[in-house]
Structures are given as C-alpha cells and as structure tokens.
Amino acid sequence: MATTMYFEGTVKDKKRENAIELEFGRSSFYGENSLYLEVDGKHIVLDYADAKKLINSMMDVGQYLRIVD
C-alpha cells in the first residue's frame, strides 16, 4: 500500500484527561488516491465521496474557529 502520512501523533482533550493516537494521510491501497485514517490502531481507507465529505466538514469547522482562512 502506497501512503503519504500527513499527521501522526497523540491528540489530547482540553483537560488532558483523554487521548487518542491519530494518523492520517493519502493512500492508494485500492488503486486510487484517497484518505486513510488510523485511530488507536484501527485503520480505514475512505472512498472518495466520504473523504471529500469529511475534509470539507473539517474545513468548515476550521473556518468557523478561524483556524483556516
């Protein structure tokens, strides 16, 4: 599986009481480029429609929080 990792790390909640191990990036596992996610060791490759929906939703939140222009 060809992948390009864009993020890998431990993501903690604001009070630092809970955390998850998160990794995501690009994968061509099924013969086309898409988004892969790995959360606490569970790995999935999204189809294009779900990847687009997730990324657009995250961008919307980022814009609302003024993290993304």
Side-chain angles (χ1 to χ4, degrees):
M1 166 173 48
T3 63
T4 305
M5 181 180 21
Y6 283 83
F7 179 85
E8 176 184 37
T10 302
V11 180
K12 298 179 181 180
D13 74 353
K14 207 170 188 177
K15 292 186 176 184
R16 305 289 194 233
E17 295 172 358
N18 295 303
I20 60 171
E21 294 297 319
L22 177 64
E23 178 181 324
F24 62 83
R26 181 207 58 89
S27 173
S28 61
F29 183 76
Y30 294 112
E32 62 181 37
N33 285 319
S34 194
L35 174 70
Y36 80 87
L37 301 171
E38 186 169 318
V39 180
D40 287 337
K42 189 168 185 176
H43 188 95
I44 61 170
V45 178
L46 285 74
D47 64 26
Y48 182 81
D50 287 340
K52 184 175 180 177
K53 183 177 177 180
L54 176 63
I55 295 300
N56 283 329
S57 297
M58 293 180 86
M59 293 290 292
D60 289 346
V61 172
Q63 289 171 343
Y64 178 82
L65 297 173
R66 297 185 180 157
I67 296 170
V68 176
D69 295 327

